[in-house]
Amino acid sequence: RRRLPTKRDYKFTLVIDESGSMDGERGENAIKGLLLFMETLDYLGIDFNIIGFSDAVNKEPLHKEFGEKLTAWRKEEIIDEVTRVMANGCTADADALKFAIDEMKKQVGDRRIIIMLTDGEGNINNACLTIEEILREAEEGYVEVIGVGIGGGISYVEKTYPYYVQVPNIEEVPLKIATILEERILGEKFEDRPVYFGLTQFELIRQKANSTQARDLKGPLASEADEKGKKETGSSPVDNQEAIH
């Protein structure tokens, strides 16, 4: 029988485009996706870090380091921090991806996965490598990279990343991130998983994705006690999610 993952099995990185083009709904829904990412992996006890970039990688400090423990207020602090820097500057995606891969290689895990959330092609590259060369380096280091293209008419992600998800409807970003986590952690599509997984962790992930979509990010995050009280409520799981290519 297969088992649900432990915090030793997986390492995740979320890399967020915070450049000038990520204004308005793109930035808002990227932040909602970030919130879903944090709450899901924290709930499952899976270690992760969060990296933002615009003209350069925002690494002094990172939004979240591997091994850092999260409280409800720390999550709120991260959301506020990303909100403040969102939608400024150019797009140094190659630098950010290279940095994310280098950081991930230091981690030990059965699977090491980087999710690259962006709305377009980079226009700054100080890595001295092309994106294709950096992705090859990731493959050679057994690091999986998934590109997530935000918004319609974004062909760059599809052309560049071997594994990618296009999100033409910007409001679906949290749900698409939920789908990536489900498929990568369970190793199969959510709707096809064996019954013995029960209706627990990933049912709740879907509920979190739905509630995150509607959440007003201007207000504070709920306390940890409030979040526990909400676990049995929320929308039903969403069907017919697109698979990762």
Side-chain angles (χ1 to χ4, degrees):
R1 285 166 63 102
R2 296 177 58 188
R3 60 186 174 82
L4 286 170
T6 71
K7 60 185 177 183
R8 294 183 299 276
D9 294 326
Y10 292 82
K11 297 287 183 178
F12 277 89
T13 293
L14 181 64
V15 183
I16 307 172
D17 186 346
E18 298 167 345
S19 65
S21 60
M22 292 287 290
D23 61 344
E25 290 186 358
R26 292 188 180 192
E28 290 172 6
N29 284 282
I31 292 169
K32 290 178 181 180
L34 161 64
L35 178 57
L36 182 279
F37 177 87
M38 283 196 299
E39 291 191 340
T40 298
L41 295 184
D42 185 46
Y43 175 80
L44 293 176
I46 295 175
D47 196 16
F48 63 94
N49 71 346
I50 300 166
I51 299 169
F53 72 94
S54 54
D55 292 332
V57 182
N58 298 324
K59 55 185 177 183
E60 295 182 356
L62 294 183
H63 295 315
K64 182 193 175 295
E65 301 273 3
F66 282 116
E68 179 183 353
K69 301 300 181 183
L70 290 179
T71 64
W73 290 111
R74 176 61 182 130
K75 292 174 189 176
E76 181 178 346
E77 186 177 53
I78 292 170
I79 293 297
D80 288 344
E81 183 179 288
V82 174
T83 300
R84 285 196 304 271
V85 299
M86 183 63 75
N88 285 287
C90 298
T91 309
D93 62 335
D95 299 356
L97 182 56
K98 179 69 167 66
F99 178 78
I101 292 168
D102 289 345
E103 290 296 295
M104 184 63 86
K105 283 181 176 179
K106 300 174 186 176
Q107 305 300 313
V108 177
D110 295 339
R111 294 189 73 177
R112 299 178 295 177
I113 300 167
I114 296 172
I115 301 173
M116 189 80 173
L117 195 61
T118 184
D119 72 336
E121 187 170 359
N123 48 23
I124 293 179
N125 185 345
N126 295 310
C128 301
L129 295 169
T130 66
I131 284 284
E132 290 75 18
E133 290 171 330
I134 295 170
L135 287 168
R136 194 175 308 119
E137 183 179 302
E139 183 179 6
E140 291 170 355
Y142 301 99
V143 175
E144 182 179 358
V145 180
I146 302 168
V148 179
I150 302 176
I154 306 297
S155 61
Y156 171 70
V157 170
E158 179 178 354
K159 292 177 180 178
T160 303
Y161 291 87
Y163 301 101
Y164 68 92
V165 176
Q166 287 293 142
V167 193
N169 182 352
I170 297 171
E171 292 184 354
E172 292 183 357
V173 169
L175 290 174
K176 296 301 183 183
I177 289 179
T179 299
I180 291 172
L181 295 177
E182 288 166 1
E183 292 186 3
R184 284 322 188 247
I185 293 172
L186 290 180
E188 58 193 75
K189 291 184 181 180
F190 174 72
E191 57 268 26
D192 296 332
R193 75 188 188 284
V195 173
Y196 55 73
F197 278 122
L199 304 179
T200 55
Q201 277 86 349
F202 288 96
E203 298 277 348
L204 293 171
I205 289 173
R206 287 293 186 178
Q207 292 177 9
K208 284 179 181 291
N210 283 312
S211 63
T212 299
Q213 265 189 300
R215 177 171 290 175
D216 179 4
L217 292 176
K218 295 179 181 178
L221 297 180
S223 68
E224 290 172 313
D226 288 340
E227 286 297 319
K228 289 180 181 178
K230 293 176 183 177
K231 283 182 180 178
E232 301 303 324
T233 65
S235 304
S236 300
V238 178
D239 298 324
N240 302 320
Q241 293 299 305
E242 295 179 6
I244 298 170
H245 298 272

